[in-house]
Amino acid sequence: MAGVQTAVALREEGWPGAITLIGAEPHPPYDRPPLSKAVLLGTAEGSAYDVDFAGLGVELQLGREVTGVHPEEHRVDTATGPLHYDHLVIATGAEPIALPGSADLPGVHLLRTLDDAERLRPVLANRHDIVVVGAGWIGAEFATAAREAGCTVTVVEAAELPLAGALPPEVAVFMAGWYLDSGAELVTGAHVAAVEEGGVRLTDGRRLPADAVVVGIGARPATGWLKGSGVELAADGSVKADERLRASAPDVYAVGDCASFPSARYGRRLLVHHWDNALQGPRTVAANLVGFQQPRFAGLAYDPVPYFWSEQFGRFVQYAGDHGGADEMLWRGDPSGAAWTVLWLREGVLVALLAVGRPRDLAQGRKLIESGAAIDRTAAVDPSVALKSAVL
């Protein structure tokens, strides 16, 4: 997503030079969200972008993995030889974290690429017993698809609640019931000891039957190939980009899941592993690359309101902002019901919200976060009042 959008945005901004888009996968560039939905369920064959790369003058080099970069020489290394660049945009995304000890075990799957989804399609089609390791966003989405396909699903989570780390316990507790409602079993506070033939053994001795195991325990920036290059990485492994998404090396930018950036809005560095970031960041990179060719161009800073969505267990879940520095949380609606919203404030100003089945709250709240609006608490907790009207 980030690489494709950077190439498209460069042409939209008027970039006159050559653009080469290099990808390790052999497939034409594709969108990832459908992989855990339509592609996985067999209702779509793929999710390739409808982009006329040739018409845009973008050269695609597929099935070519970049293995290293030498910024002082403006060169990247690949298995088939070096390539020289004037400007480099790193958009290598993230890679899923594997379950320790599961490498090369038959029946153990990750879900990140088109090939991953294609391997999992017959598993769902045959209605197998499936164990999902991890009750995060991807685990919930896969469990949703597997239940829709008629599979028996058990989700194993090391924490006591789903979405641990992503949402506070007082919010996540209401999402735990979604698994049971869908017919999936959620086993929390549990750790996998081993994947065995026909099942998964937990550290407490329990054995869960499984024809297939799907691992969704997180992802890390795909930046291992940059070690020793001089391109600075943050502690989380992301490319440490500045406010204009420039890396530490000259003429190198980074965008999408592989890059973190300083947010003046939230007062800390953000690493955002979501689709919207891979859509918005490239526009900043393109504007800066083209703009720096012009005299007196001061540069464009990247400081978005992070946004993502998830479809799980018949619910449309949306989140905007960052609640990490919030000092107050408000409920808007009944969290045991089908539609509700959580608001997070910092010194009375809206900084984040989670909307379940209330897309209007999300759309209005996102604008309020962008504008730094102070919130009337009494009006905000009343779900019959439009959120845009709950402003002081």
Side-chain angles (χ1 to χ4, degrees):
M1 176 68 170
V4 169
Q5 291 300 326
T6 300
V8 172
L10 280 167
R11 287 300 186 224
E12 290 177 345
E13 289 285 340
W15 180 261
I19 300 174
T20 303
L21 184 59
I22 307 172
E25 292 185 65
H27 311 290
Y30 58 87
D31 204 9
R32 293 193 188 277
L35 299 185
S36 60
K37 305 172 184 70
V39 175
L40 190 62
L41 290 171
T43 57
E45 290 302 316
S47 54
Y49 290 113
D50 184 18
V51 176
D52 182 4
F53 292 103
L56 288 173
V58 174
E59 180 187 356
L60 279 181
Q61 295 194 11
L62 304 176
R64 188 174 190 182
E65 183 177 4
V66 176
T67 57
V69 58
H70 305 272
E72 69 285 353
E73 301 174 22
H74 283 58
R75 187 187 87 231
V76 294
D77 293 332
T78 77
T80 54
L83 289 172
H84 290 269
Y85 64 83
D86 295 313
H87 303 273
L88 175 66
V89 180
I90 300 170
T92 47
E95 54 194 7
I97 298 172
L99 187 67
S102 67
D104 302 322
L105 287 178
V108 178
H109 301 265
L110 298 169
L111 180 53
R112 181 70 181 181
T113 68
L114 180 60
D115 289 336
D116 292 336
E118 293 292 350
R119 282 189 289 266
L120 278 165
R121 279 172 68 168
V123 175
L124 269 62
N126 291 328
R127 300 185 177 183
H128 283 306
D129 292 339
I130 298 176
V131 168
V132 180
V133 182
W137 299 112
I138 191 65
E141 290 185 2
F142 178 82
T144 298
R147 285 299 301 139
E148 185 176 334
C151 298
T152 300
V153 179
T154 303
V155 181
V156 177
E157 170 57 48
E160 296 301 323
L161 289 168
L163 295 169
L167 294 174
E170 57 268 34
V171 177
V173 67
F174 291 99
M175 297 172 165
W178 297 357
Y179 290 80
L180 180 62
D181 294 344
S182 75
E185 181 181 3
L186 176 63
V187 181
T188 57
H191 297 264
V192 173
V195 178
E196 305 169 334
E197 185 176 354
V200 171
R201 180 164 50 84
L202 304 182
T203 53
D204 62 7
R206 281 180 291 178
R207 191 174 188 280
L208 307 174
D211 299 302
V213 177
V214 177
V215 180
I217 57 175
R220 62 170 64 92
T223 56
W225 63 283
L226 289 169
K227 290 179 180 177
S229 68
V231 175
E232 185 179 0
L233 302 181
D236 55 19
S238 64
V239 177
K240 193 174 183 180
D242 68 5
E243 71 281 358
R244 299 176 190 170
L245 297 179
R246 297 176 300 186
S248 61
D251 301 317
V252 178
Y253 291 75
V255 67
D257 290 4
C258 69
S260 60
F261 55 90
S263 171
R265 186 190 308 275
Y266 292 105
R268 65 186 185 92
R269 178 167 289 274
L270 299 181
L271 174 60
V272 182
H273 279 186
H274 294 294
W275 186 93
D276 191 65
N277 179 52
L279 172 67
Q280 304 296 339
R283 296 171 180 168
T284 297
V285 169
N288 283 327
L289 275 168
V290 174
F292 280 128
Q293 316 300 315
Q294 309 299 323
R296 296 185 296 279
F297 179 71
L300 181 65
Y302 185 61
D303 197 6
V305 173
Y307 165 74
F308 71 88
W309 79 95
S310 177
E311 297 177 73
Q312 49 185 270
F313 308 118
R315 295 167 174 85
F316 186 43
V317 183
Q318 296 172 284
Y319 179 97
D322 182 276
H323 66 272
D327 53 31
E328 187 177 0
M329 188 177 79
L330 303 175
W331 291 98
R332 180 174 165 83
D334 181 3
S336 64
W340 46 275
T341 297
V342 181
L343 308 176
W344 284 276
L345 312 182
R346 184 175 63 222
E347 299 179 353
V349 174
L350 184 66
V351 294
L353 81 157
L354 174 79
V356 177
R358 292 184 65 93
R360 185 171 297 177
D361 277 2
L362 189 287
Q364 295 179 8
R366 190 177 183 182
K367 293 178 180 178
L368 296 181
I369 296 171
E370 289 174 346
S371 66
I375 297 299
D376 181 332
R377 293 166 177 80
T378 302
V381 299
D382 184 347
S384 67
V385 175
L387 195 53
K388 65 182 179 181
S389 300
V391 177
L392 291 173

